[in-house]
Amino acid sequence: MDYDTYGSNAVELAIDLANADRAGDPGWAEAFLRSHDEWFPVETPLELTPAEARRAAATADLVRAVALAGTQDDVIARLNELLTLARPHPYATDHDGELHLHYARPDAPALEQLTTTVAMGLSQVVAQHGWQRLGACSAEGCDDVYVDTSRNASRRYCSNTCASRSTVAAYRARRRV
Ligand SMILES: [Zn+2]
Ligand SMILES: [Zn+2]
């Protein structure tokens, strides 16, 4: 399948956000922005207030809910919930040398840029390629979500690490009988 670069990158950002480790660290959202700072113009301050961090968590929960939804009605309801948080403002740029569109204003606060990019990126990919492209990792003990960009929609794991871990576990299980 053909993904346009920005759209597919934006859905990867959404998946990263949904899988971000939030356990017990109130600074997780700001750390997430800093580890994805290629998404923000250098002028954008990446500091978040505690209220903004909670809104980032709500966005992450909604991305996860979309990925885990089992029916199209459920997917649509969750996507619309996520889209109400977005403030889309199409913006043309060639900051990387190639003319492309961004979903958010470059002068919007970091949280608004993040929420808008994630909501629009996820919605575009679901609308173009189907919600079955999203799923949760099949590896034991992993509940990360993923977007399947493989040609034949055969993905079952969040990462190569989980895929090979599961292959080894299945092999050992077979050998035991
Ligand atoms: Zn760009
Ligand atoms: Zn996994």
Side-chain angles (χ1 to χ4, degrees):
M1 70 201 291
D2 281 335
Y3 277 105
D4 71 279
T5 317
Y6 178 72
S8 77
N9 289 344
V11 76
E12 294 293 351
L13 180 70
I15 296 295
D16 278 2
L17 180 66
N19 293 338
D21 185 8
R22 290 184 243 159
D25 178 9
W28 77 272
E30 208 172 300
F32 180 84
L33 293 184
R34 293 195 190 287
S35 61
H36 294 77
D37 64 351
E38 72 276 14
W39 281 93
F40 305 96
V42 283
E43 308 80 53
T44 305
L46 298 182
E47 290 77 27
L48 294 181
T49 65
E52 286 178 318
R54 282 194 294 278
R55 282 157 62 203
T59 299
D61 286 342
L62 278 171
V63 173
R64 195 173 161 74
V66 172
L68 297 181
T71 67
Q72 184 147 315
D73 284 349
D74 200 11
V75 170
I76 290 172
R78 301 306 187 163
L79 272 184
N80 281 326
E81 239 180 290
L82 185 59
L83 285 166
T84 59
L85 306 176
R87 300 281 172 273
H89 182 107
Y91 177 79
T93 176
D94 65 353
H95 66 90
D96 58 358
E98 260 194 61
L99 201 159
H100 60 286
L101 295 180
H102 280 190
Y103 298 126
R105 286 186 298 137
D107 56 346
L111 179 72
E112 181 178 323
Q113 291 186 49
L114 174 72
T115 309
T116 301
T117 305
V118 160
M120 296 300 292
L122 190 66
S123 306
Q124 286 283 3
V125 164
V126 168
Q128 279 177 15
H129 303 287
W131 56 273
Q132 292 86 350
R133 289 278 175 175
L134 301 169
C137 185
S138 308
E140 217 179 298
C142 178
D143 57 1
D144 280 2
V145 293
Y146 62 78
V147 58
D148 186 350
T149 54
S150 67
R151 187 181 294 275
N152 53 0
S154 57
R155 185 162 175 176
R156 290 174 54 220
Y157 301 102
C158 70
S159 60
N160 288 335
T161 313
C162 274
S164 52
R165 196 158 59 78
S166 299
T167 310
V168 171
Y171 175 73
R172 291 210 180 112
R174 269 197 309 276
R175 295 243 310 187
R176 233 174 274 139
V177 287

PDB file of all heavy atoms in Angstrom, residues 2-38:
ATOM      1  N   ASP A   2       0.359   2.273  -0.601  1.00  0.00           N
ATOM      2  CA  ASP A   2       1.129   3.510  -0.662  1.00  0.00           C
ATOM      3  C   ASP A   2       0.657   4.490   0.407  1.00  0.00           C
ATOM      4  O   ASP A   2      -0.492   4.899   0.405  1.00  0.00           O
ATOM      5  CB  ASP A   2       0.960   4.169  -2.039  1.00  0.00           C
ATOM      6  CG  ASP A   2       1.831   3.483  -3.058  1.00  0.00           C
ATOM      7  OD1 ASP A   2       2.848   2.883  -2.656  1.00  0.00           O
ATOM      8  OD2 ASP A   2       1.491   3.547  -4.244  1.00  0.00           O
ATOM      9  N   TYR A   3       1.545   4.827   1.267  1.00  0.00           N
ATOM     10  CA  TYR A   3       1.249   5.871   2.234  1.00  0.00           C
ATOM     11  C   TYR A   3       1.961   7.126   1.792  1.00  0.00           C
ATOM     12  O   TYR A   3       3.114   7.067   1.405  1.00  0.00           O
ATOM     13  CB  TYR A   3       1.794   5.491   3.606  1.00  0.00           C
ATOM     14  CG  TYR A   3       0.895   4.590   4.393  1.00  0.00           C
ATOM     15  CD1 TYR A   3       1.189   3.252   4.532  1.00  0.00           C
ATOM     16  CD2 TYR A   3      -0.245   5.107   5.013  1.00  0.00           C
ATOM     17  CE1 TYR A   3       0.363   2.428   5.269  1.00  0.00           C
ATOM     18  CE2 TYR A   3      -1.059   4.283   5.750  1.00  0.00           C
ATOM     19  CZ  TYR A   3      -0.757   2.946   5.871  1.00  0.00           C
ATOM     20  OH  TYR A   3      -1.560   2.128   6.599  1.00  0.00           O
ATOM     21  N   ASP A   4       1.275   8.260   1.858  1.00  0.00           N
ATOM     22  CA  ASP A   4       2.025   9.477   1.641  1.00  0.00           C
ATOM     23  C   ASP A   4       2.868   9.696   2.890  1.00  0.00           C
ATOM     24  O   ASP A   4       2.483   9.301   3.988  1.00  0.00           O
ATOM     25  CB  ASP A   4       1.102  10.661   1.350  1.00  0.00           C
ATOM     26  CG  ASP A   4       0.336  11.099   2.561  1.00  0.00           C
ATOM     27  OD1 ASP A   4      -0.690  10.467   2.867  1.00  0.00           O
ATOM     28  OD2 ASP A   4       0.757  12.054   3.209  1.00  0.00           O
ATOM     29  N   THR A   5       4.046  10.278   2.706  1.00  0.00           N
ATOM     30  CA  THR A   5       5.032  10.283   3.776  1.00  0.00           C
ATOM     31  C   THR A   5       4.526  10.974   5.040  1.00  0.00           C
ATOM     32  O   THR A   5       4.564  10.410   6.119  1.00  0.00           O
ATOM     33  CB  THR A   5       6.307  11.002   3.301  1.00  0.00           C
ATOM     34  OG1 THR A   5       6.563  10.543   1.992  1.00  0.00           O
ATOM     35  CG2 THR A   5       7.465  10.691   4.188  1.00  0.00           C
ATOM     36  N   TYR A   6       4.033  12.185   4.865  1.00  0.00           N
ATOM     37  CA  TYR A   6       3.635  12.940   6.062  1.00  0.00           C
ATOM     38  C   TYR A   6       2.497  12.238   6.789  1.00  0.00           C
ATOM     39  O   TYR A   6       2.519  12.093   8.008  1.00  0.00           O
ATOM     40  CB  TYR A   6       3.235  14.367   5.684  1.00  0.00           C
ATOM     41  CG  TYR A   6       2.768  15.183   6.860  1.00  0.00           C
ATOM     42  CD1 TYR A   6       3.684  15.624   7.820  1.00  0.00           C
ATOM     43  CD2 TYR A   6       1.433  15.501   7.023  1.00  0.00           C
ATOM     44  CE1 TYR A   6       3.261  16.360   8.900  1.00  0.00           C
ATOM     45  CE2 TYR A   6       1.004  16.240   8.099  1.00  0.00           C
ATOM     46  CZ  TYR A   6       1.915  16.678   9.042  1.00  0.00           C
ATOM     47  OH  TYR A   6       1.496  17.403  10.115  1.00  0.00           O
ATOM     48  N   GLY A   7       1.484  11.773   6.042  1.00  0.00           N
ATOM     49  CA  GLY A   7       0.350  11.092   6.660  1.00  0.00           C
ATOM     50  C   GLY A   7       0.788   9.853   7.423  1.00  0.00           C
ATOM     51  O   GLY A   7       0.345   9.620   8.549  1.00  0.00           O
ATOM     52  N   SER A   8       1.690   9.064   6.827  1.00  0.00           N
ATOM     53  CA  SER A   8       2.103   7.841   7.504  1.00  0.00           C
ATOM     54  C   SER A   8       2.993   8.173   8.694  1.00  0.00           C
ATOM     55  O   SER A   8       2.930   7.521   9.728  1.00  0.00           O
ATOM     56  CB  SER A   8       2.801   6.897   6.539  1.00  0.00           C
ATOM     57  OG  SER A   8       4.103   7.307   6.289  1.00  0.00           O
ATOM     58  N   ASN A   9       3.818   9.225   8.580  1.00  0.00           N
ATOM     59  CA  ASN A   9       4.598   9.633   9.739  1.00  0.00           C
ATOM     60  C   ASN A   9       3.684  10.100  10.862  1.00  0.00           C
ATOM     61  O   ASN A   9       3.940   9.824  12.035  1.00  0.00           O
ATOM     62  CB  ASN A   9       5.561  10.761   9.372  1.00  0.00           C
ATOM     63  CG  ASN A   9       6.694  10.267   8.496  1.00  0.00           C
ATOM     64  OD1 ASN A   9       6.929   9.069   8.392  1.00  0.00           O
ATOM     65  ND2 ASN A   9       7.374  11.200   7.859  1.00  0.00           N
ATOM     66  N   ALA A  10       2.621  10.818  10.516  1.00  0.00           N
ATOM     67  CA  ALA A  10       1.712  11.338  11.535  1.00  0.00           C
ATOM     68  C   ALA A  10       1.006  10.197  12.260  1.00  0.00           C
ATOM     69  O   ALA A  10       0.783  10.278  13.471  1.00  0.00           O
ATOM     70  CB  ALA A  10       0.692  12.284  10.899  1.00  0.00           C
ATOM     71  N   VAL A  11       0.677   9.123  11.562  1.00  0.00           N
ATOM     72  CA  VAL A  11       0.028   8.012  12.252  1.00  0.00           C
ATOM     73  C   VAL A  11       1.039   7.278  13.134  1.00  0.00           C
ATOM     74  O   VAL A  11       0.697   6.796  14.210  1.00  0.00           O
ATOM     75  CB  VAL A  11      -0.717   7.074  11.273  1.00  0.00           C
ATOM     76  CG1 VAL A  11       0.207   6.178  10.506  1.00  0.00           C
ATOM     77  CG2 VAL A  11      -1.750   6.236  12.018  1.00  0.00           C
ATOM     78  N   GLU A  12       2.297   7.246  12.708  1.00  0.00           N
ATOM     79  CA  GLU A  12       3.325   6.664  13.587  1.00  0.00           C
ATOM     80  C   GLU A  12       3.488   7.492  14.858  1.00  0.00           C
ATOM     81  O   GLU A  12       3.712   6.950  15.942  1.00  0.00           O
ATOM     82  CB  GLU A  12       4.685   6.560  12.866  1.00  0.00           C
ATOM     83  CG  GLU A  12       4.712   5.588  11.681  1.00  0.00           C
ATOM     84  CD  GLU A  12       4.547   4.115  12.066  1.00  0.00           C
ATOM     85  OE1 GLU A  12       4.581   3.790  13.271  1.00  0.00           O
ATOM     86  OE2 GLU A  12       4.364   3.294  11.146  1.00  0.00           O
ATOM     87  N   LEU A  13       3.350   8.813  14.716  1.00  0.00           N
ATOM     88  CA  LEU A  13       3.406   9.685  15.901  1.00  0.00           C
ATOM     89  C   LEU A  13       2.246   9.337  16.841  1.00  0.00           C
ATOM     90  O   LEU A  13       2.428   9.263  18.061  1.00  0.00           O
ATOM     91  CB  LEU A  13       3.331  11.157  15.461  1.00  0.00           C
ATOM     92  CG  LEU A  13       3.384  12.200  16.564  1.00  0.00           C
ATOM     93  CD1 LEU A  13       4.779  12.263  17.199  1.00  0.00           C
ATOM     94  CD2 LEU A  13       2.989  13.585  16.035  1.00  0.00           C
ATOM     95  N   ALA A  14       1.065   9.111  16.266  1.00  0.00           N
ATOM     96  CA  ALA A  14      -0.113   8.746  17.065  1.00  0.00           C
ATOM     97  C   ALA A  14       0.122   7.431  17.814  1.00  0.00           C
ATOM     98  O   ALA A  14      -0.174   7.318  19.009  1.00  0.00           O
ATOM     99  CB  ALA A  14      -1.341   8.637  16.161  1.00  0.00           C
ATOM    100  N   ILE A  15       0.689   6.457  17.099  1.00  0.00           N
ATOM    101  CA  ILE A  15       0.948   5.150  17.707  1.00  0.00           C
ATOM    102  C   ILE A  15       1.999   5.275  18.821  1.00  0.00           C
ATOM    103  O   ILE A  15       1.846   4.718  19.905  1.00  0.00           O
ATOM    104  CB  ILE A  15       1.417   4.144  16.620  1.00  0.00           C
ATOM    105  CG1 ILE A  15       0.295   3.902  15.592  1.00  0.00           C
ATOM    106  CG2 ILE A  15       1.897   2.840  17.240  1.00  0.00           C
ATOM    107  CD1 ILE A  15      -0.948   3.229  16.121  1.00  0.00           C
ATOM    108  N   ASP A  16       3.049   6.051  18.556  1.00  0.00           N
ATOM    109  CA  ASP A  16       4.078   6.283  19.581  1.00  0.00           C
ATOM    110  C   ASP A  16       3.458   6.904  20.830  1.00  0.00           C
ATOM    111  O   ASP A  16       3.807   6.548  21.953  1.00  0.00           O
ATOM    112  CB  ASP A  16       5.150   7.257  19.058  1.00  0.00           C
ATOM    113  CG  ASP A  16       6.185   6.556  18.204  1.00  0.00           C
ATOM    114  OD1 ASP A  16       6.058   5.344  17.992  1.00  0.00           O
ATOM    115  OD2 ASP A  16       7.122   7.246  17.751  1.00  0.00           O
ATOM    116  N   LEU A  17       2.549   7.851  20.613  1.00  0.00           N
ATOM    117  CA  LEU A  17       1.910   8.528  21.743  1.00  0.00           C
ATOM    118  C   LEU A  17       1.081   7.527  22.550  1.00  0.00           C
ATOM    119  O   LEU A  17       1.145   7.498  23.782  1.00  0.00           O
ATOM    120  CB  LEU A  17       1.028   9.683  21.245  1.00  0.00           C
ATOM    121  CG  LEU A  17       0.300  10.468  22.336  1.00  0.00           C
ATOM    122  CD1 LEU A  17       1.283  11.227  23.228  1.00  0.00           C
ATOM    123  CD2 LEU A  17      -0.718  11.443  21.729  1.00  0.00           C
ATOM    124  N   ALA A  18       0.316   6.698  21.839  1.00  0.00           N
ATOM    125  CA  ALA A  18      -0.530   5.710  22.527  1.00  0.00           C
ATOM    126  C   ALA A  18       0.324   4.720  23.314  1.00  0.00           C
ATOM    127  O   ALA A  18      -0.094   4.242  24.372  1.00  0.00           O
ATOM    128  CB  ALA A  18      -1.404   4.969  21.518  1.00  0.00           C
ATOM    129  N   ASN A  19       1.534   4.417  22.825  1.00  0.00           N
ATOM    130  CA  ASN A  19       2.395   3.434  23.475  1.00  0.00           C
ATOM    131  C   ASN A  19       3.375   4.056  24.465  1.00  0.00           C
ATOM    132  O   ASN A  19       4.160   3.331  25.078  1.00  0.00           O
ATOM    133  CB  ASN A  19       3.187   2.646  22.423  1.00  0.00           C
ATOM    134  CG  ASN A  19       2.285   1.757  21.573  1.00  0.00           C
ATOM    135  OD1 ASN A  19       1.193   1.406  21.990  1.00  0.00           O
ATOM    136  ND2 ASN A  19       2.757   1.407  20.392  1.00  0.00           N
ATOM    137  N   ALA A  20       3.345   5.375  24.604  1.00  0.00           N
ATOM    138  CA  ALA A  20       4.304   6.040  25.494  1.00  0.00           C
ATOM    139  C   ALA A  20       4.130   5.530  26.925  1.00  0.00           C
ATOM    140  O   ALA A  20       3.008   5.314  27.377  1.00  0.00           O
ATOM    141  CB  ALA A  20       4.101   7.546  25.446  1.00  0.00           C
ATOM    142  N   ASP A  21       5.250   5.337  27.594  1.00  0.00           N
ATOM    143  CA  ASP A  21       5.226   4.847  28.968  1.00  0.00           C
ATOM    144  C   ASP A  21       4.918   6.008  29.910  1.00  0.00           C
ATOM    145  O   ASP A  21       5.705   6.926  30.048  1.00  0.00           O
ATOM    146  CB  ASP A  21       6.591   4.225  29.307  1.00  0.00           C
ATOM    147  CG  ASP A  21       6.591   3.592  30.683  1.00  0.00           C
ATOM    148  OD1 ASP A  21       5.499   3.502  31.297  1.00  0.00           O
ATOM    149  OD2 ASP A  21       7.675   3.198  31.138  1.00  0.00           O
ATOM    150  N   ARG A  22       3.756   5.951  30.543  1.00  0.00           N
ATOM    151  CA  ARG A  22       3.334   7.064  31.398  1.00  0.00           C
ATOM    152  C   ARG A  22       3.464   6.722  32.871  1.00  0.00           C
ATOM    153  O   ARG A  22       3.192   7.561  33.726  1.00  0.00           O
ATOM    154  CB  ARG A  22       1.859   7.386  31.140  1.00  0.00           C
ATOM    155  CG  ARG A  22       1.589   8.001  29.815  1.00  0.00           C
ATOM    156  CD  ARG A  22       0.114   8.349  29.774  1.00  0.00           C
ATOM    157  NE  ARG A  22      -0.570   7.611  28.745  1.00  0.00           N
ATOM    158  CZ  ARG A  22      -1.885   7.408  28.734  1.00  0.00           C
ATOM    159  NH1 ARG A  22      -2.626   7.856  29.726  1.00  0.00           N
ATOM    160  NH2 ARG A  22      -2.438   6.759  27.750  1.00  0.00           N
ATOM    161  N   ALA A  23       3.845   5.478  33.154  1.00  0.00           N
ATOM    162  CA  ALA A  23       3.773   4.961  34.522  1.00  0.00           C
ATOM    163  C   ALA A  23       4.461   5.876  35.536  1.00  0.00           C
ATOM    164  O   ALA A  23       5.684   5.974  35.551  1.00  0.00           O
ATOM    165  CB  ALA A  23       4.371   3.564  34.567  1.00  0.00           C
ATOM    166  N   GLY A  24       3.667   6.507  36.352  1.00  0.00           N
ATOM    167  CA  GLY A  24       4.171   7.225  37.518  1.00  0.00           C
ATOM    168  C   GLY A  24       5.045   8.428  37.229  1.00  0.00           C
ATOM    169  O   GLY A  24       5.619   8.992  38.156  1.00  0.00           O
ATOM    170  N   ASP A  25       5.169   8.847  35.983  1.00  0.00           N
ATOM    171  CA  ASP A  25       6.026   9.986  35.695  1.00  0.00           C
ATOM    172  C   ASP A  25       5.203  11.135  35.123  1.00  0.00           C
ATOM    173  O   ASP A  25       4.803  11.091  33.966  1.00  0.00           O
ATOM    174  CB  ASP A  25       7.115   9.570  34.697  1.00  0.00           C
ATOM    175  CG  ASP A  25       8.015  10.744  34.321  1.00  0.00           C
ATOM    176  OD1 ASP A  25       7.892  11.806  34.956  1.00  0.00           O
ATOM    177  OD2 ASP A  25       8.825  10.575  33.390  1.00  0.00           O
ATOM    178  N   PRO A  26       4.963  12.183  35.925  1.00  0.00           N
ATOM    179  CA  PRO A  26       4.148  13.283  35.433  1.00  0.00           C
ATOM    180  C   PRO A  26       4.828  14.032  34.282  1.00  0.00           C
ATOM    181  O   PRO A  26       4.168  14.772  33.550  1.00  0.00           O
ATOM    182  CB  PRO A  26       3.964  14.192  36.659  1.00  0.00           C
ATOM    183  CG  PRO A  26       5.043  13.811  37.603  1.00  0.00           C
ATOM    184  CD  PRO A  26       5.432  12.387  37.309  1.00  0.00           C
ATOM    185  N   GLY A  27       6.140  13.843  34.118  1.00  0.00           N
ATOM    186  CA  GLY A  27       6.849  14.522  33.042  1.00  0.00           C
ATOM    187  C   GLY A  27       6.845  13.755  31.729  1.00  0.00           C
ATOM    188  O   GLY A  27       7.494  14.162  30.765  1.00  0.00           O
ATOM    189  N   TRP A  28       6.093  12.663  31.656  1.00  0.00           N
ATOM    190  CA  TRP A  28       6.149  11.788  30.473  1.00  0.00           C
ATOM    191  C   TRP A  28       5.783  12.530  29.187  1.00  0.00           C
ATOM    192  O   TRP A  28       6.394  12.302  28.144  1.00  0.00           O
ATOM    193  CB  TRP A  28       5.231  10.576  30.645  1.00  0.00           C
ATOM    194  CG  TRP A  28       3.782  10.930  30.440  1.00  0.00           C
ATOM    195  CD1 TRP A  28       2.934  11.375  31.412  1.00  0.00           C
ATOM    196  CD2 TRP A  28       3.054  10.945  29.214  1.00  0.00           C
ATOM    197  NE1 TRP A  28       1.711  11.671  30.846  1.00  0.00           N
ATOM    198  CE2 TRP A  28       1.755  11.406  29.495  1.00  0.00           C
ATOM    199  CE3 TRP A  28       3.371  10.609  27.888  1.00  0.00           C
ATOM    200  CZ2 TRP A  28       0.779  11.547  28.513  1.00  0.00           C
ATOM    201  CZ3 TRP A  28       2.396  10.750  26.911  1.00  0.00           C
ATOM    202  CH2 TRP A  28       1.103  11.210  27.228  1.00  0.00           C
ATOM    203  N   ALA A  29       4.761  13.432  29.276  1.00  0.00           N
ATOM    204  CA  ALA A  29       4.257  14.075  28.053  1.00  0.00           C
ATOM    205  C   ALA A  29       5.315  15.025  27.485  1.00  0.00           C
ATOM    206  O   ALA A  29       5.547  15.065  26.273  1.00  0.00           O
ATOM    207  CB  ALA A  29       2.957  14.813  28.333  1.00  0.00           C
ATOM    208  N   GLU A  30       5.956  15.771  28.391  1.00  0.00           N
ATOM    209  CA  GLU A  30       7.006  16.679  27.944  1.00  0.00           C
ATOM    210  C   GLU A  30       8.184  15.874  27.379  1.00  0.00           C
ATOM    211  O   GLU A  30       8.769  16.239  26.349  1.00  0.00           O
ATOM    212  CB  GLU A  30       7.460  17.537  29.123  1.00  0.00           C
ATOM    213  CG  GLU A  30       7.989  18.869  28.676  1.00  0.00           C
ATOM    214  CD  GLU A  30       8.266  19.793  29.866  1.00  0.00           C
ATOM    215  OE1 GLU A  30       7.319  20.099  30.610  1.00  0.00           O
ATOM    216  OE2 GLU A  30       9.433  20.171  30.028  1.00  0.00           O
ATOM    217  N   ALA A  31       8.513  14.777  28.029  1.00  0.00           N
ATOM    218  CA  ALA A  31       9.584  13.906  27.526  1.00  0.00           C
ATOM    219  C   ALA A  31       9.218  13.366  26.142  1.00  0.00           C
ATOM    220  O   ALA A  31      10.080  13.268  25.252  1.00  0.00           O
ATOM    221  CB  ALA A  31       9.826  12.756  28.504  1.00  0.00           C
ATOM    222  N   PHE A  32       7.937  13.041  25.952  1.00  0.00           N
ATOM    223  CA  PHE A  32       7.484  12.562  24.646  1.00  0.00           C
ATOM    224  C   PHE A  32       7.689  13.632  23.577  1.00  0.00           C
ATOM    225  O   PHE A  32       8.206  13.351  22.485  1.00  0.00           O
ATOM    226  CB  PHE A  32       6.004  12.161  24.707  1.00  0.00           C
ATOM    227  CG  PHE A  32       5.483  11.662  23.387  1.00  0.00           C
ATOM    228  CD1 PHE A  32       5.654  10.343  23.009  1.00  0.00           C
ATOM    229  CD2 PHE A  32       4.850  12.533  22.504  1.00  0.00           C
ATOM    230  CE1 PHE A  32       5.200   9.887  21.776  1.00  0.00           C
ATOM    231  CE2 PHE A  32       4.390  12.090  21.265  1.00  0.00           C
ATOM    232  CZ  PHE A  32       4.567  10.770  20.904  1.00  0.00           C
ATOM    233  N   LEU A  33       7.315  14.873  23.884  1.00  0.00           N
ATOM    234  CA  LEU A  33       7.497  15.962  22.913  1.00  0.00           C
ATOM    235  C   LEU A  33       8.976  16.123  22.571  1.00  0.00           C
ATOM    236  O   LEU A  33       9.347  16.310  21.413  1.00  0.00           O
ATOM    237  CB  LEU A  33       6.964  17.282  23.476  1.00  0.00           C
ATOM    238  CG  LEU A  33       5.451  17.392  23.700  1.00  0.00           C
ATOM    239  CD1 LEU A  33       5.100  18.793  24.169  1.00  0.00           C
ATOM    240  CD2 LEU A  33       4.677  17.053  22.433  1.00  0.00           C
ATOM    241  N   ARG A  34       9.837  16.046  23.597  1.00  0.00           N
ATOM    242  CA  ARG A  34      11.271  16.247  23.362  1.00  0.00           C
ATOM    243  C   ARG A  34      11.863  15.124  22.517  1.00  0.00           C
ATOM    244  O   ARG A  34      12.739  15.371  21.688  1.00  0.00           O
ATOM    245  CB  ARG A  34      12.023  16.361  24.698  1.00  0.00           C
ATOM    246  CG  ARG A  34      11.634  17.614  25.425  1.00  0.00           C
ATOM    247  CD  ARG A  34      12.549  18.004  26.566  1.00  0.00           C
ATOM    248  NE  ARG A  34      11.928  19.080  27.320  1.00  0.00           N
ATOM    249  CZ  ARG A  34      11.818  20.331  26.896  1.00  0.00           C
ATOM    250  NH1 ARG A  34      12.343  20.686  25.730  1.00  0.00           N
ATOM    251  NH2 ARG A  34      11.207  21.248  27.625  1.00  0.00           N
ATOM    252  N   SER A  35      11.356  13.910  22.695  1.00  0.00           N
ATOM    253  CA  SER A  35      11.891  12.814  21.894  1.00  0.00           C
ATOM    254  C   SER A  35      11.282  12.790  20.484  1.00  0.00           C
ATOM    255  O   SER A  35      11.675  11.983  19.655  1.00  0.00           O
ATOM    256  CB  SER A  35      11.676  11.470  22.600  1.00  0.00           C
ATOM    257  OG  SER A  35      10.298  11.237  22.770  1.00  0.00           O
ATOM    258  N   HIS A  36      10.292  13.654  20.242  1.00  0.00           N
ATOM    259  CA  HIS A  36       9.702  13.775  18.900  1.00  0.00           C
ATOM    260  C   HIS A  36       9.774  15.220  18.423  1.00  0.00           C
ATOM    261  O   HIS A  36       8.866  15.705  17.751  1.00  0.00           O
ATOM    262  CB  HIS A  36       8.249  13.296  18.907  1.00  0.00           C
ATOM    263  CG  HIS A  36       8.102  11.830  19.178  1.00  0.00           C
ATOM    264  ND1 HIS A  36       8.215  11.290  20.434  1.00  0.00           N
ATOM    265  CD2 HIS A  36       7.887  10.776  18.350  1.00  0.00           C
ATOM    266  CE1 HIS A  36       8.064   9.977  20.363  1.00  0.00           C
ATOM    267  NE2 HIS A  36       7.875   9.637  19.110  1.00  0.00           N
ATOM    268  N   ASP A  37      10.851  15.904  18.777  1.00  0.00           N
ATOM    269  CA  ASP A  37      10.900  17.352  18.532  1.00  0.00           C
ATOM    270  C   ASP A  37      11.049  17.714  17.059  1.00  0.00           C
ATOM    271  O   ASP A  37      10.881  18.874  16.678  1.00  0.00           O
ATOM    272  CB  ASP A  37      12.003  18.024  19.373  1.00  0.00           C
ATOM    273  CG  ASP A  37      13.393  17.541  19.002  1.00  0.00           C
ATOM    274  OD1 ASP A  37      13.506  16.563  18.212  1.00  0.00           O
ATOM    275  OD2 ASP A  37      14.367  18.124  19.504  1.00  0.00           O
ATOM    276  N   GLU A  38      11.308  16.700  16.198  1.00  0.00           N
ATOM    277  CA  GLU A  38      11.359  16.983  14.759  1.00  0.00           C
ATOM    278  C   GLU A  38       9.986  17.402  14.231  1.00  0.00           C
ATOM    279  O   GLU A  38       9.878  17.933  13.126  1.00  0.00           O
ATOM    280  CB  GLU A  38      11.892  15.763  13.988  1.00  0.00           C
ATOM    281  CG  GLU A  38      10.937  14.580  13.880  1.00  0.00           C
ATOM    282  CD  GLU A  38      10.975  13.644  15.107  1.00  0.00           C
ATOM    283  OE1 GLU A  38      11.536  14.055  16.146  1.00  0.00           O
ATOM    284  OE2 GLU A  38      10.436  12.528  15.020  1.00  0.00           O
TER     285      GLU A  38
END
